[in-house]
Amino acid sequence: MSADALPAAALADLRAAIGPAHVLTGDVLAGSDGDAWLLDRRRRYVGRAAAVLRPASTAEVAAVLRIASAHRLPVVPQGGNTGLVGGSTPDESGHELLLSLRRLDTVRAVDAANLTMTLEAGCILQTAQQAARDAGLLLPLSLAAEGSCTVGGNLASNAGGVQVLRYGNARELCLGLEVVTPSGEVWDGLRGLRKDNTGYDLRDLYIGSEGTLGVITAAVLRLHPPPRGVATALAGCDSAEAALALLHRALAGSGGALTAFEVMNAASIALVARHLPPAVPSGLLDPSTSASPWTVLLETSDASDAALARDTLEAVLAEALDDGLTRDVRVAQSLSQSQAFWRLRESIPLAQAADGLNIKHDIALPVSRIPAFIAQADAAVQALVPGARPIDFGHWGDGNLHYNVMAPAGVSPADFLARWETPINTRIYDLLHPFGGSISAEHGIGRLKRDELAARHDPVALGLMRRVKRVLDPLGIMNPGRVLGSIG
């Protein structure tokens, strides 16, 4: 982590381009909050950097990439560094430039009549949400890290979140991009058009590319009229099959009003109760009643009628109760109670972190096949490691399952991870193929899943991706070693 890793001419050029105070190396970087840039969120990857670069504009990003290209210096773009697959953390070599986008944080415009917002890549998602609210509109992208993740990172990883069921992934919420290429050219695609049939869709090429093709510096996002009414409920189910049947009932009975459908197994709620007991709604684990094997969080919303969202949800749940699909139904009676229900769901990853290292799988499946997959996965995990604890939760409405596995009681989480991560990953990913699933639903590939992608993805698709990479990044300087391995 030293300027010595950079050619003197490159270091001088970078300091001239963005200002010496924003080229952090050596003692300056060590004296700053280095972990914010060099340590990934899951604490799996600890990197070093030749320099941390903090440009403040698209023009400065372009200047940085022209210098990097001229000196063939690898560049790792980074937003809020909240990713979970090691895609935005520099490697251990100390030769990579870390390009932080955090100073590009301006909301450039809100076009209320066009239902769009133009903003820079370093804008914190929560800030963007508030800017939409200030204009009387809704930016529906919502995820647990929204207080620290950035819009550019959300787009580079095609983030999902809790409202994909109704509004789509980050990809569906983006109408246009501004991108700096590896050679320092700027593509201005910031047009807020719903229809633009003028050749190849470059926007979709960069969204989800994890910084391997260029740097997203700004975007035009879709906004929506805010719902006037939102209704939230928790419902217990006796089986995964019953939870799936409840989803079908809610979709059919809500008339498109179903915004979220989150499912949590009993082990995940027990974990929250152990480590973050205030996050468990009062009475949910009342010993006088039997805890449900599965708990569903449902939310409906309506743009025009505050009472309709609640009436719709109550009608769906009443039918589900009558048919035995659910029990222990609780409909939130206030905004604070609704927030408490969501706090339970959002506390699961925090409770897992408090419990120790665990084996995570962010996977996607056809919704109809989730229960069968869970049954086979649970059996496979128990056959490998008796007593291991599957923590199942996620966005079932869009087929995204977080299937995580924790160590058996009495086994060190670190020892469990060291011995069993590869065998359990192999078994889970082997199971996905016959179910038509994907090894990554919303977290991306990064470094963590790069080798799995190379081994399991369609070889024709991999070949096409490598060709695209060679054309758009012929020097291979953009986020090397992430997503794809060596491209030759």
Side-chain angles (χ1 to χ4, degrees):
M1 191 164 44
S2 167
D4 295 341
L6 287 173
L11 182 59
D13 289 346
L14 289 168
R15 287 171 171 166
I18 65 175
H22 300 295
V23 179
L24 308 184
T25 62
D27 293 341
V28 176
L29 180 54
S32 67
D33 187 11
D35 280 358
W37 290 294
L38 307 179
L39 179 66
D40 86 302
R41 188 179 182 90
R42 291 179 61 189
R43 310 183 76 85
R44 290 180 64 111
Y45 300 102
V46 182
R48 298 171 64 237
V52 171
L53 310 176
R54 303 177 64 244
S57 67
T58 299
E60 289 189 357
V61 173
V64 165
L65 288 181
R66 285 195 294 272
I67 294 165
S69 181
H71 293 275
R72 298 200 172 204
L73 298 172
V75 178
V76 179
Q78 187 184 94
N81 197 24
T82 60
L84 299 175
V85 292
S88 61
T89 306
D91 66 19
E92 300 79 15
S93 70
H95 296 296
E96 296 181 331
L97 298 173
L98 192 148
L99 179 63
S100 171
L101 280 298
R102 294 185 201 179
R103 294 180 68 212
L104 279 74
D105 61 357
T106 301
V107 177
R108 294 183 184 175
V110 177
D111 186 341
N114 195 45
L115 294 175
T116 55
M117 166 190 290
T118 303
L119 70 174
E120 292 178 342
C123 187
I124 299 296
L125 177 56
Q126 200 167 69
T127 302
Q129 293 167 340
Q130 185 60 52
R133 282 193 292 270
D134 291 345
L137 296 169
L138 170 71
L139 175 60
L141 185 63
S142 178
L143 47 151
E146 61 194 28
S148 53
C149 66
T150 62
V151 169
N154 297 150
L155 292 166
S157 60
N158 190 26
V162 297
Q163 299 194 83
V164 172
L165 176 61
R166 184 162 184 174
Y167 297 105
N169 291 310
R171 185 185 304 278
E172 284 73 45
L173 294 172
C174 181
L175 293 174
L177 290 177
E178 177 184 83
V179 175
V180 179
T181 71
S183 63
E185 295 178 296
V186 178
W187 168 49
D188 182 358
L190 294 175
R191 292 189 288 179
L193 303 176
R194 273 74 177 175
K195 293 183 176 180
D196 184 12
N197 194 8
T198 52
Y200 304 137
D201 194 336
L202 299 178
R203 172 199 59 183
D204 274 356
L205 190 62
Y206 288 104
I207 294 174
S209 65
E210 301 185 46
T212 61
L213 302 178
V215 179
I216 295 171
T217 52
V220 180
L221 301 183
R222 296 174 185 260
L223 302 178
H224 292 263
R228 292 189 179 180
V230 176
T232 313
L234 292 176
C237 294
D238 287 328
S239 66
E241 289 78 8
L244 178 62
L246 178 59
L247 171 61
H248 294 160
R249 181 67 58 87
L251 287 169
S254 66
L258 188 65
T259 304
F261 191 93
E262 301 284 315
V263 181
M264 303 161 276
N265 72 346
S268 64
I269 294 176
L271 201 63
V272 175
R274 177 181 175 186
H275 294 285
L276 302 167
V280 180
S282 176
L284 188 66
L285 298 177
D286 188 335
S288 65
T289 62
S290 58
S292 298
W294 297 89
T295 297
V296 178
L297 188 158
L298 307 89
E299 190 162 276
T300 54
S301 61
D302 189 84
S304 60
D305 190 329
L308 187 57
R310 184 183 179 89
D311 291 345
T312 298
L313 184 57
E314 289 181 341
V316 166
L317 292 173
E319 288 185 5
L321 279 166
D322 288 343
D323 291 345
L325 297 181
T326 185
R327 58 187 174 89
D328 302 328
V329 170
R330 297 163 181 246
V331 179
Q333 301 300 309
S334 63
L335 175 61
S336 62
Q337 194 170 39
S338 173
Q339 291 171 338
F341 289 177
W342 276 107
R343 194 175 305 117
L344 169 66
R345 164 62 182 86
E346 291 165 355
S347 294
I348 296 172
L350 299 176
Q352 284 191 283
D355 204 76
L357 297 170
N358 55 91
I359 300 170
K360 296 182 182 294
H361 306 99
D362 161 53
I363 55 181
L365 291 148
V367 174
S368 59
R369 310 200 72 182
I370 291 177
F373 174 85
I374 289 174
Q376 291 192 29
D378 284 354
V381 167
Q382 290 305 314
L384 283 171
V385 190
R389 297 169 291 162
I391 306 296
D392 298 340
F393 64 100
H395 323 299
W396 278 32
D398 55 59
N400 183 183
L401 174 66
H402 297 298
Y403 186 89
N404 300 342
V405 184
M406 306 201 69
V411 175
S412 158
D415 290 343
F416 173 67
L417 197 72
R419 180 177 179 186
W420 291 108
E421 182 174 32
T422 296
I424 288 177
N425 282 347
T426 298
R427 193 69 190 95
I428 295 302
Y429 294 148
D430 284 348
L431 274 175
L432 277 173
H433 181 72
F435 280 91
S438 165
I439 65 171
S440 180
E442 61 181 358
H443 294 167
I445 299 298
R447 280 194 278 171
L448 183 66
K449 297 185 178 181
R450 179 193 61 203
D451 294 342
E452 292 288 353
L453 183 75
R456 297 175 182 279
H457 205 47
D458 177 75
V460 174
L462 285 169
L464 291 170
M465 285 192 279
R466 291 189 180 108
R467 282 180 239 171
V468 170
K469 171 75 169 172
R470 289 190 195 101
V471 170
L472 295 185
D473 181 23
L475 299 179
I477 65 170
M478 294 306 308
N479 224 5
R482 284 77 172 178
V483 184
L484 299 173
S486 173
I487 60 170

